[in-house]
């Protein structure tokens, strides 16, 4: 009888040990699975969730509020040049690479993005809202009103109504527009036609899509568009960089 009881205890103990090993194995496999898929699936789900939460958070804000474009639509490609030295001033002018516009303007730009996505493209953003203090620094470097607005008058950027942008394919590769961003010369003028047909077609795609949703070009920069269906005052509100 004692031998029988001892044998039962050994069997139960062995089963529990195997169960523990099995549990640990499953747990480890789950962790490996989650780790392997984190950037493929979980990141997408997380981005969608954050995006949905952001839309809800701004729903009741007035049209004049500043909102962040990449939080509205994670497909925007950010290349905020004035947060780097890769710009015509050769200095860092923004403390962080924010892409912000007034709410009513941002929502229209999301519509532009949606229209371009259908055609196999998406938007890359170079500059959006620009504090007036930064406009003064630009003016000190290049005081030419054809390319840099006089800060005594103010820029559409200073009002949160303008955006500097281009188009990428869905993999993020920038398509050819004939000149780099912030190229100060006639080749960057929207009316300049001495360019290959492919480049003219690319510029035309951007222009027609922007026009469709209320954005109008400037005469000297193919990348600059202003939203003309709203009016807001000039702002010098600095960027909130706490989330960087």
């Amino acid at each position: 009888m004692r031998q029988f009881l001892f044998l039962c205890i050994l069997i139960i103990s062995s089963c529990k040990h195997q169960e523990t090993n099995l549990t640990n194995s499953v747990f480890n496999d789950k962790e490996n699975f989650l780790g392997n898929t984190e950037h493929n699936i979980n990141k997408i789900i997380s981005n969608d969730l954050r995006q949905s939460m952001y839309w809800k958070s701004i729903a009741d804000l007035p049209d004049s509020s500043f909102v962040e474009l990449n939080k509205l639509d994670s497909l925007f490609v950010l290349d905020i040049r004035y947060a780097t030295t890769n710009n015509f001033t050769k200095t860092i002018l923004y403390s962080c690479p924010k892409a912000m516009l007034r709410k009513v303007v941002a929502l229209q730009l999301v519509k532009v993005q949606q229209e371009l996505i259908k055609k196999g493209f998406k938007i890359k953003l170079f500059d959006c809202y620009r504090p007036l203090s930064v406009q003064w620094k630009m003016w000190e470097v290049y005081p030419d009103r054809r390319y840099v607005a006089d800060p005594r008058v103010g820029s559409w950027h200073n009002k949160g109504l303008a955006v500097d942008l281009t188009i990428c394919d869905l993999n993020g590769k920038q398509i050819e527009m004939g000149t780099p961003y912030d190229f100060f010369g006639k080749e960057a003028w929207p009316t300049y036609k001495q360019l290959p047909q492919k480049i003219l077609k690319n510029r035309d795609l951007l222009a027609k899509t922007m026009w469709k949703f209320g954005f109008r070009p400037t005469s000297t920069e193919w990348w600059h568009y202003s939203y003309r269906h709203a009016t807001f005052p000039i702002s010098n509100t600095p960027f909130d960089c706490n989330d960087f």
Side-chain angles (χ1 to χ4, degrees):
M1 184 67 177
R2 289 181 179 178
Q3 290 179 343
F4 177 75
L5 289 173
F6 181 71
L7 181 61
C8 289
I9 291 171
L10 282 177
I11 293 172
I12 292 170
S13 175
S14 176
C15 289
K16 286 186 176 180
H17 181 70
Q18 291 178 8
E19 182 180 359
T20 300
N21 287 339
L22 180 61
T23 301
N24 289 337
S25 175
V26 170
F27 179 78
N28 290 334
D29 287 343
K30 182 180 180 183
E31 283 202 317
N32 290 334
F33 172 77
L34 291 175
N36 290 336
T37 61
E38 181 178 359
H39 62 284
N40 294 324
I41 298 174
N42 292 347
K43 187 175 180 181
I44 295 172
I45 294 171
S46 178
N47 282 341
D48 287 345
L49 179 59
R50 285 197 296 268
Q51 189 171 300
S52 176
M53 291 174 65
Y54 189 70
W55 277 81
K56 291 179 181 178
S57 72
I58 69 165
D60 296 326
L61 294 179
D63 286 346
S64 60
S65 301
F66 285 106
V67 299
E68 293 188 55
L69 285 160
N70 59 308
K71 291 184 179 180
L72 284 175
D73 186 342
S74 60
L75 291 179
F76 281 118
V77 179
L78 266 59
D79 185 9
I80 307 302
R81 295 292 181 86
Y82 302 124
T84 73
T85 57
N86 184 21
N87 63 71
F88 74 93
T89 72
K90 307 302 181 185
T91 59
I92 296 174
L93 300 173
Y94 295 164
S95 51
C96 56
K98 290 275 187 175
M100 304 182 71
L101 290 172
R102 303 284 185 173
K103 177 183 169 182
V104 64
V105 186
L107 294 179
Q108 288 301 106
L109 195 63
V110 170
K111 292 179 183 179
V112 174
Q113 173 92 307
Q114 292 170 344
E115 184 83 359
L116 288 170
I117 290 290
K118 297 174 187 176
K119 300 176 182 179
F121 301 98
K122 58 184 178 181
I123 290 171
K124 174 183 276 191
L125 299 166
F126 295 124
D127 194 28
C128 298
Y129 162 66
R130 180 189 306 156
L132 184 62
S133 58
V134 174
Q135 193 70 36
W136 277 103
K137 292 177 182 178
M138 290 180 174
W139 182 254
E140 290 169 2
V141 174
Y142 203 87
D144 185 335
R145 285 182 293 178
R146 293 177 300 169
Y147 302 103
V148 179
D150 187 335
R152 290 167 293 188
V153 178
S155 164
W156 290 89
H157 284 287
N158 305 145
K159 300 176 181 180
L161 291 168
V163 58
D164 292 345
L165 76 171
T166 191
I167 300 175
C168 299
D169 64 22
L170 294 181
N171 293 319
K173 182 180 179 181
Q174 190 171 319
I175 68 172
E176 183 57 53
M177 288 293 193
T179 74
Y181 172 60
D182 268 356
F183 176 86
F184 299 151
K186 64 181 180 180
E187 292 83 0
W189 298 358
T191 55
Y192 187 79
K193 301 301 180 183
Q194 298 177 37
L195 295 166
Q197 282 301 311
K198 183 178 179 179
I199 291 174
L200 294 176
K201 184 178 178 181
N202 291 342
R203 288 189 180 186
D204 189 58
L205 172 63
L206 177 60
K208 286 182 176 178
T209 312
M210 295 298 284
W211 269 82
K212 181 176 179 179
F213 295 98
F215 293 88
R216 301 293 178 261
T218 186
S219 62
T220 57
E221 300 170 340
W222 60 258
W223 56 82
H224 176 101
Y225 286 86
S226 305
Y227 187 71
R228 303 297 179 89
H229 298 287
T231 302
F232 298 108
I234 291 171
S235 175
N236 195 35
T237 304
F239 294 129
D240 180 1
C241 296
N242 290 327
D243 54 351
F244 278 88

